[in-house]
Amino acid sequence: GFLPLQGHVVRNWKVRWFVLLQDKLLYYKIEGGKKEPSPKGRILLDGCTITCPCLEYENRPLLIKLKTKTNTDYFLECCSREERDSWALDITGAIHAGHPVQVQELHRMKNSFKLLENISLHNIVERMYDSSTGIKLTRNLDQGNRYKETFTGSALVDWLISNSFAVSRFEAVTLASMLMDENFIRPVGVRSTEATRSSDPSEKFLDDSTALYMFAESSKKNTSSKEEVHFNISELSGTIVKQGFLVKQGHKRKNWKVRKFVLRADPAFLHYYDPTKEDNKPVGGFSLRGCLVSALEDNGVPTGVKGNVQGNLFKIITKNDIHYYIQASSKAERVQWIEAIKPLT
C-alpha cells in the first residue's frame, strides 16, 4: 500500500508504494499513475527494531519508525491508527518470523490487559504535564467551535503506550478512563461528552482522533474566527466515514499524484490532502450531494484519462460537471470507496 516515507539526504516526505516480504520491505516510485517495475529502495528487516506509536514528529502522529541493524532510521506515515497498527503488527511479525514464540507473545500482549501495580495515576498526570515529554496540547475544532489546549483520545492512547504506561490500545483506553473517572481529565465537545453517557465502562473514553479531552482545570472553549480556517468549518466537521491513500489525476497538468482522501458524512464531503506537506490542511475537496460515481473499465485508457495508468480507476462527476479521475490500489479497494461514496450522493 501507499505510505509517505521521509528521505535520508533531503529530509522531505515522498509517497511510495510499499510491499512487505518475509525479510524485507520494498518501496517503489509511482510515475504517470503507474508503479515503476524496479524498487526505489529496500529496508532489510533482519535485526530491525520497530517503534509504534512513534511521537517524534508532533504534526505527524501516525508514524512507524524502523531502525535497521546498521542504525539507519526510516519513518513511515499511515493515514489512520487502524492502518498504522495493522502495518506495525505485520512488520513486527516479519521481523520475528524465525521466532514464533515472540510472535505469539506479541499477540498475547495485544489482546490481554493487566494494569501494572506500581502505576500511579498522579505520576501519569505529572508526566502528561511535562513541557518536553508530556502530552502535546493543541487547538482543535468540534462542531464549529475551537477548543484551546486539548488533546484527542487517540493521541492520549498513543502517548500512554509510547511512555510504557500501557502495552496495548485496550489497556491504554482503560487507563485513560480511570484518569477521567478520577477527574484528572475531562471530555470537551459533543463526541467525547456523549460517550460518557454509555453504560459500558470500556466505551466511555474514545480512542478516536475526533474525540477531544483536556486537563480538568484547563480553560473552556473559545470560538475561532473563520479566517483561521481555509475551508468552511461546517464541511470539515462531518463524521469521518473512510480515509486512505489514492492516486488522483490533476485538473490542469493531468499528472497523477498520491493524495490522502477523507470521506465525511453530515455534511457529505470528500477532501484530499497532500501527504508530503507538513500542515494537515486539504488541498482540495467538494460536496458529494448530486455527484455521480462509477468504476471505469481497465481494458484501455478511458476518455479524459492521461498517462499509462495502473488500472482500478473510478470517476466522480460533481453536480457542477467537474470530473475527478481517481485510482485505487486494487479492485477490492475501488469497490469499497464507491460503496462508501454512493450513499452520500
Side-chain angles (χ1 to χ4, degrees), residues 106-261:
L106 283 165
H107 283 277
R108 187 194 67 77
M109 289 173 62
K110 185 179 177 66
N111 298 312
S112 66
F113 169 71
K114 183 180 180 182
L115 186 63
L116 298 177
E117 293 179 0
N118 61 346
I119 283 185
S120 159
L121 295 182
H122 287 278
N123 180 42
I124 293 175
V125 174
E126 283 183 12
R127 290 277 297 277
M128 287 174 67
Y129 270 110
D130 190 283
S131 58
S132 58
T133 60
I135 189 82
K136 302 298 181 186
L137 302 179
T138 58
R139 295 188 177 201
N140 285 287
L141 285 173
D142 184 275
Q143 299 291 312
N145 294 315
R146 184 177 290 275
Y147 294 87
K148 294 172 63 178
E149 297 185 329
T150 59
F151 46 87
T152 66
S154 49
L156 179 54
V157 168
D158 286 349
W159 184 89
L160 289 169
I161 295 173
S162 67
N163 284 273
S164 303
F165 289 116
V167 295
S168 68
R169 302 196 79 77
F170 173 71
E171 186 172 325
V173 166
T174 305
L175 194 52
S177 299
M178 293 170 66
L179 290 170
M180 193 164 62
D181 289 342
E182 295 298 321
N183 202 34
F184 289 111
I185 64 173
R186 65 181 181 87
V188 289
V190 176
R191 184 102 170 82
S192 56
T193 303
E194 286 183 348
T196 60
R197 302 189 182 102
S198 172
S199 58
D200 187 343
S202 66
E203 295 178 359
K204 289 188 175 183
F205 179 89
L206 299 177
D207 179 8
D208 192 297
S209 60
T210 63
L212 302 183
Y213 300 88
M214 61 168 48
F215 291 115
E217 69 276 16
S218 295
S219 57
K220 295 184 178 181
K221 69 183 181 182
N222 61 352
T223 307
S224 69
S225 62
K226 292 185 178 180
E227 289 75 24
E228 290 181 76
V229 183
H230 290 296
F231 283 79
N232 189 297
I233 287 175
S234 64
E235 69 182 74
L236 293 170
S237 65
T239 303
I240 294 178
V241 175
K242 186 174 178 60
Q243 56 187 331
F245 295 112
L246 298 167
V247 190
K248 173 187 167 294
Q249 180 178 268
H251 291 300
K252 295 180 180 178
R253 296 178 59 191
K254 305 297 182 185
N255 55 349
W256 292 87
K257 296 288 186 182
V258 178
R259 295 290 181 249
K260 174 185 172 182
F261 280 80

Side-chain angles (χ1 to χ4, degrees), residues 17 24-29 35-42:
W17 176 259
K24 64 178 74 74
L25 190 59
L26 304 178
Y27 52 93
Y28 297 79
K29 192 176 180 182
K35 175 174 72 74
E36 290 190 341
S38 300
K40 179 78 174 174
R42 66 194 68 214

